[in-house]
Amino acid sequence: GTATPAANILNLVTDSTAENNNNGIQDTGSGDTVTISLTKRTTATVTTTDATLTTIITFAMGATPGTFIVEGNVVAFNSSTPSSGVFTYIGGYRTDGATATELGVEFHDDFKDVAMTNSDIFLNVSGNNILVQVQGEAALTINWNALLTFRQVT
């Protein structure tokens, strides 16, 4: 759409979306507002208090058969010790429109303080979804923040 300034003022809004757009950025306009969105991405946060595997991002692959590459990062922080973890990941997936298949095994790097030695991230599939999962530490409250970006071909 188009945006038209009101009283010579045009409002700019920023956003992010998992919309599939090859440019990685899009703009839309309506009224006197232009929204600029980073596309092909999703973010999420979660808090863990033990070593239970916890899903932080569920990414739906959609009903159209295709291949996806996903990559991103996860950061973790525990304020009581204090301790941190930083993780990067990349993985390949295929969907027939109903079921996700992991292509090989994801690759990830981790950089962690000693108190977070057993914490980790995992990429898995469930149904037609890609899951980014985190595993905390027993008796530690850890705040996690994740980013997933993707490219897709059909």
Side-chain angles (χ1 to χ4, degrees), residues 74-78 83-87 116 119 134 142-145:
V74 181
V75 293
F77 182 70
N78 165 264
S83 55
S84 296
V86 176
F87 308 83
M116 294 182 70
S119 64
V134 297
I142 300 173
N143 297 317
W144 302 83
N145 188 320

Side-chain angles (χ1 to χ4, degrees), residues 59-64 94-101 125-130:
F59 178 76
M61 295 176 71
T64 304
R94 175 179 41 81
T95 180
D96 60 8
T99 304
T101 301
V125 295
S126 176
N128 199 33
N129 300 309
I130 301 168

Side-chain angles (χ1 to χ4, degrees), residues 1-43:
T2 13
T4 306
N8 212 23
I9 297 171
L10 188 62
N11 299 305
L12 293 176
V13 179
T14 59
D15 191 16
S16 67
T17 177
E19 186 172 327
N20 185 19
N21 169 318
N22 275 336
N23 297 321
I25 191 168
Q26 70 181 12
D27 59 74
T28 55
S30 177
D32 63 350
T33 301
V34 174
T35 302
I36 301 171
S37 301
L38 295 176
T39 61
K40 305 173 91 59
R41 63 190 284 130
T42 187
T43 63

Side-chain angles (χ1 to χ4, degrees), residues 46-51 74-87 111-119 135-145:
V46 73
T47 299
T48 58
T49 56
D50 56 26
V74 181
V75 293
F77 182 70
N78 165 264
S79 62
S80 65
T81 49
S83 55
S84 296
V86 176
F87 308 83
F111 309 91
K112 303 181 277 194
D113 284 321
V114 173
M116 294 182 70
T117 298
N118 295 317
S119 64
Q135 183 174 323
E137 298 278 346
L140 283 185
T141 298
I142 300 173
N143 297 317
W144 302 83
N145 188 320

